[in-house]
Amino acid sequence: MRNIDFGRHSDDYARHRPGFPSSFYARLESLMRLDGSRALDLATGPGVIALELGKRGARTTGIDISEGQIAAALRATSDCGLEESVDFVVTEAEDTGLEPAAFDLVTAGQCWHWFDRPKIVAEVQRVLRPGGLLVVAYYSYLAEYCAVARETEKLILKFNPSWSMAGSTGMYSEEIDTLIKGGFALVEQFCYHEDELFTHEAWRGRMRTCNGVGSGGLAPEAVVVFDKALESMLRRDFPEPVVIEHRVWSVVVRNLPDGTTEST
C-alpha cells in the first residue's frame, strides 16, 4: 500500500467514515445465509463490515495490516458485545496464515484496488471453501454529483497536487475479468445510489481518513492546516447537514473446486 496507513486516523475512520448501508447486507443475505456462516473480512479497518456480519449471525474474522485499525476494531467489538462471534488478526490479506477452506464468505470492502491481484486471488481461493462467495464492494462518495465533495476534492488537490484518486466513480468493473480469469464464477454485479447526511464535523473526519489527506497523502502538520481550510469552506458555503450522494458497487463471485470451470 505504498506509504498509505489508514491506521493514522483510526478513530476518525470508526466515527465518521460511513459503512455500507443496511440494504447492502440485505442483498448479501439474498445470496447466502449469513446466520451460522463463517466469514473473513479483508482489510477490515476498524471492523465495520466484520461487526455487521457478526450482528447477522456470522462467525467473523477481520484482518488488517494496521495495528491501529485492529485496535479500533477491538474497541468497537467490546462496545457491541460481539467478542464471542467476531475476532481480529493483524496480518496481510495476500498471506493471511489462516486455515485453508475455512470460510463460507470473504468480503473486501473499499480495499481490493490496494492488493497484489495474483496473490490476493490465490489466497482467497485457498481460504474460501469450494462454493463459497467472495464479495468485492465499494461505497464511494460521488464528487461528480455533489458540490460539497467536488469542492473538497479541489481543496485536497491544492494541498496534494499528486493525489490521483480525485473524481473516482467507485466502480471497478475491470476486476470482474480478473476474478473470472483467476478461477472464480460470476454470481452477480450490482450498483445503486444512497444519500448520506454529514455534519461539518463528520465530513471533516471522513476526509481526514482520505488517502490523499491524513492516511498518507499529507504530513501531520499539513493535515491540520487542510482541516482548518475545509472547516472554513464548509461554514462559508454549505449549511449543515450536508447531503453526500454515494454509490454502492459490488461484484460477487463463487469459488470453484480446483480444476473445474463454470460455463456461462
Side-chain angles (χ1 to χ4, degrees):
M1 291 192 181
R2 301 190 294 275
N3 67 333
I4 301 299
D5 180 4
F6 291 101
R8 296 174 187 174
H9 287 268
S10 291
D11 289 342
D12 281 328
Y13 208 111
R15 291 179 58 204
H16 298 307
R17 190 157 180 156
F20 286 84
S22 59
S23 56
F24 170 76
Y25 297 97
R27 189 74 174 238
L28 295 190
E29 289 187 306
S30 74
L31 298 173
M32 66 172 289
R33 182 181 175 87
L34 295 179
D35 189 13
S37 68
R38 186 77 171 87
L40 172 64
D41 184 38
L42 306 178
T44 194
V48 176
I49 291 177
L51 292 173
E52 288 296 333
L53 294 174
K55 291 174 184 177
R56 288 163 172 78
R59 179 71 179 88
T60 308
T61 296
I63 65 169
D64 203 287
I65 61 171
S66 168
E67 293 183 1
Q69 292 283 59
I70 292 299
L74 290 170
R75 290 193 295 271
T77 304
S78 178
D79 291 342
C80 294
L82 289 172
E83 298 95 327
E84 297 300 317
S85 58
V86 183
D87 64 278
F88 294 96
V89 180
V90 178
T91 190
E92 294 184 11
E94 293 96 335
D95 185 15
T96 65
L98 299 173
E99 294 183 7
F103 298 97
D104 306 297
L105 170 68
V106 174
T107 55
Q110 302 293 119
C111 59
W112 191 260
H113 59 289
W114 297 114
F115 298 144
D116 180 301
R117 299 303 193 279
K119 289 182 179 179
I120 192 62
V121 165
E123 182 65 357
V124 170
Q125 288 175 324
R126 189 186 71 81
V127 300
L128 192 59
R129 68 166 176 79
L133 297 184
L134 165 64
V135 178
V136 176
Y138 288 84
Y139 190 47
S140 308
Y141 70 78
L142 299 175
E144 179 181 0
Y145 304 122
C146 177
V148 179
R150 188 163 55 249
E151 293 305 312
T152 300
E153 288 198 339
K154 290 179 182 178
L155 186 62
I156 294 174
L157 289 168
K158 288 182 180 179
F159 283 80
N160 184 4
S162 64
W163 184 48
S164 62
M165 298 186 74
S168 173
T169 65
M171 295 191 294
Y172 295 82
S173 298
E174 68 277 5
E175 298 297 347
I176 297 174
D177 284 343
T178 300
L179 293 166
I180 292 174
K181 291 182 181 299
F184 293 96
L186 179 64
V187 175
E188 70 171 23
Q189 176 188 201
F190 60 88
C191 176
Y192 58 92
H193 290 196
E194 294 263 355
D195 285 340
E196 288 278 355
L197 289 178
F198 288 82
T199 63
H200 287 175
E201 178 186 4
W203 182 244
R204 288 164 55 204
R206 163 64 182 90
M207 298 318 297
R208 287 192 296 268
T209 72
C210 174
N211 60 79
V213 183
S215 295
L218 298 176
E221 58 273 17
V223 175
V224 174
V225 178
F226 166 83
D227 183 60
K228 289 185 179 298
L230 178 58
E231 180 184 23
S232 296
M233 183 191 79
L234 291 171
R235 286 181 175 177
R236 182 184 68 243
D237 298 331
F238 300 103
E240 60 182 339
V242 292
V243 180
I244 311 293
E245 187 171 352
H246 281 62
R247 171 178 286 138
V248 175
W249 179 87
S250 183
V251 57
V252 182
V253 293
R254 180 183 297 108
N255 195 27
L256 296 174
D258 290 343
T260 67
T261 60
E262 186 168 299
S263 59
T264 58

